[in-house]
Amino acid sequence: MRVNVRCFGTLEKYQKGTKPWEMPAGATVNEITRIMGVKPDDVKIVFVNHKEVPHNTLLHEGDEVGLSPKTGGM
């Protein structure tokens, strides 16, 4: 499945702008951050389709994921 990920603030060092990621069915936000190399402790807020969600949220085809840092703001 394909999801679009955008990193904000200090997390932009992992990825600039919004980019698609191919993930296996049943993937979670935690799996994307692990693949990207983002430390879970660096992420303060996770958004899926513009709603704040837990880090272990199950993703679906076409979801829009936003990662906001603990420091550095959006």
Side-chain angles (χ1 to χ4, degrees):
M1 77 177 158
R2 181 174 286 200
V3 297
N4 293 306
V5 179
R6 180 164 184 186
C7 296
F8 296 94
T10 58
L11 296 177
E12 285 185 319
K13 67 184 175 188
Y14 297 100
Q15 174 180 292
K16 293 250 185 215
T18 302
K19 294 188 180 171
W21 285 79
E22 285 293 330
M23 299 297 296
T28 66
V29 173
N30 281 332
E31 291 173 88
I32 287 180
T33 56
R34 180 182 51 78
I35 290 169
M36 293 175 70
V38 177
K39 296 175 186 172
D41 290 342
D42 290 345
V43 179
K44 180 176 184 179
I45 302 172
V46 174
F47 298 96
V48 174
N49 301 324
H50 309 286
K51 294 182 182 178
E52 188 174 346
V53 298
H55 293 226
N56 63 349
T57 296
L58 186 66
L59 298 172
H60 301 90
E61 176 71 31
D63 278 348
E64 300 281 335
V65 178
L67 304 174
S68 180
K70 285 194 175 178
T71 59
M74 287 198 299

